[in-house]
């Protein structure tokens, strides 16, 4: 009799314990759900109401919401300050130009005076001339500084200038058949502190602008040139490599937009590169045989 009574009491106690635990777990889940709803409202900038507010009842987000909100702000700040956050995508680069026949791209650039560019007559395939183009971008001139803002820091969301670009318009005036003297006259007589050029670029046959990071050094090279030549020209010195076929990994670079791997010691400048984009290379040395690429 007594043992039976003990068994009944033990069963009742166990049932009470289970219900108590269920209440605690359920309450924790409800609190967690309220916390999540409050957090989402806090991130959206909404004022919390009802059970999601603090115990004081003043509409203040819970501690968890505040902590997550602070984390979100910190993440947003890191993304804003990170070079990756500044990186334009390939589609964004291509949207900066208008494509026309013959693998050509047309676009506008605005350059402060004096522009800091050298003009020349561009030859055509038949040995004649096909208009006036840019033969040189003067270092530290205004065109050079524009290229830095567009290609390196991406402060400017416009387009950039490449040696070989043909000038087909100045401040809205067509210059397809104009001479160098006529273009110089239009620029000289223009009002304002800047000049708007309409340029045409051959995206498959024209040269490629290589930018070496993190220093932002420029080199303009022809297609099928050795990448090592571009690197040495940009840096202004001869480079010694650990190998001649890229196996050691010490000279490897990653292109900023495409993520392609380049090996300056052995690679050629790829012929299928669309030169609407600059080729921006970051050092990415790896150990030989690394399979994480």
């Amino acid at each position: 009799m007594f043992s039976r009574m003990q068994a009944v009491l033990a069963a009742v106690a166990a049932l009470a314990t289970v219900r108590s635990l269920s209440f605690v777990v359920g309450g924790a889940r409800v609190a967690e759900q309220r916390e999540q709803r409050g957090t989402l409202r806090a991130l959206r900038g909404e004022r919390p109401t009802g059970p999601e507010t603090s115990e004081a009842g003043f509409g203040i987000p819970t501690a968890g919401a505040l902590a997550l909100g602070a984390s979100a702000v910190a993440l947003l700040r890191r993304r804003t300050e990170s070079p990756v956050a500044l990186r334009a995508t390939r589609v964004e680069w291509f949207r900066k130009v208008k494509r026309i026949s013959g693998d050509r791209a047309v676009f506008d650039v605005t350059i402060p005076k004096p522009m800091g560019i050298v003009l020349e007559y561009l030859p055509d395939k038949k040995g004649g001339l096909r208009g006036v183009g840019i033969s040189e971008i003067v270092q530290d001139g205004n065109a050079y500084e524009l290229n830095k803002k567009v290609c390196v820091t991406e402060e400017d969301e416009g387009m950039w200038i490449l040696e070989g670009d043909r000038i087909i318009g100045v401040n809205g005036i067509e210059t397809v058949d104009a001479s160098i003297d006529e273009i110089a006259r239009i620029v000289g007589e223009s009002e304002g502190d800047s000049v708007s050029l309409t340029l045409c670029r051959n995206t498959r046959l024209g040269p490629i602008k290589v930018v070496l990071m993190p220093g932002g050094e420029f080199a303009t090279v022809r297609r099928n040139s050795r990448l090592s030549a571009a690197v040495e020209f940009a840096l202004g010195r001869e480079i010694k490599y650990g190998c001649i076929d890229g196996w050691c990994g010490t000279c490897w670079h990653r292109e900023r937009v495409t993520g392609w791997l380049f090996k300056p010691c052995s690679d050629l400048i790829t012929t299928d590169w669309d030169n609407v984009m600059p080729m921006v290379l970051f050092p990415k040395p790896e150990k030989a045989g690394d399979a994480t690429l």
Side-chain angles (χ1 to χ4, degrees), residues 246-278:
W247 66 267
C248 73
T250 56
C251 73
W252 292 0
H253 283 66
R254 287 283 187 187
E255 204 286 316
R256 181 170 64 184
V257 176
T258 63
W260 294 352
L261 175 66
F262 288 90
K263 306 169 185 177
C265 69
S266 59
D267 284 353
L268 299 178
I269 298 292
T270 176
T271 57
D272 59 355
W273 183 266
D274 191 315
N275 64 8
V276 167
M277 301 187 303

Side-chain angles (χ1 to χ4, degrees), residues 97-252:
V97 302
K98 178 181 179 181
R99 303 283 181 169
I100 60 176
S101 61
D103 291 324
R104 293 173 296 169
V106 175
F107 54 93
D108 295 324
V109 294
T110 300
I111 312 171
K113 297 178 180 177
M115 292 186 289
I117 57 176
V118 178
L119 305 184
E120 69 173 1
Y121 291 105
L122 300 177
D124 60 18
K125 295 180 179 179
K126 298 179 180 180
L129 301 177
R130 58 178 181 88
V132 176
I134 298 172
S135 65
E136 182 183 350
I137 299 171
V138 179
Q139 186 168 351
D140 298 326
N142 285 327
Y144 182 90
E145 292 299 322
L146 173 64
N147 279 0
K148 287 177 61 177
K149 292 179 180 179
V150 177
C151 301
V152 180
T153 64
E154 294 188 296
E155 301 172 48
D156 192 315
E157 297 182 353
M159 267 298 286
W160 52 285
I161 307 143
L162 178 65
E163 292 87 343
D165 286 347
R166 181 182 180 186
I167 301 175
I168 61 175
V170 178
N171 291 336
I173 302 174
E174 182 179 317
T175 60
V176 172
D177 298 319
S179 66
I180 292 179
D181 290 339
E182 289 172 331
I183 291 177
R185 178 182 57 80
I186 295 173
V187 172
E189 294 176 354
S190 64
E191 299 179 354
D193 297 329
S194 60
V195 179
S196 178
L197 299 181
T198 301
L199 302 177
C200 181
R201 179 178 303 173
N202 190 312
T203 62
R204 294 297 177 183
L205 298 178
I208 296 173
K209 181 74 74 177
V210 177
V211 184
L212 290 182
M213 301 298 284
E217 295 89 356
F218 289 116
T220 302
V221 295
R222 295 180 178 179
R223 295 170 190 267
N224 290 320
S225 299
R226 295 188 68 86
L227 184 54
S228 59
V231 172
E232 292 177 357
F233 179 84
L235 298 179
R237 56 187 173 86
E238 185 178 354
I239 305 297
K240 294 182 179 180
Y241 298 98
C243 68
I244 60 174
D245 53 9
W247 66 267
C248 73
T250 56
C251 73
W252 292 0

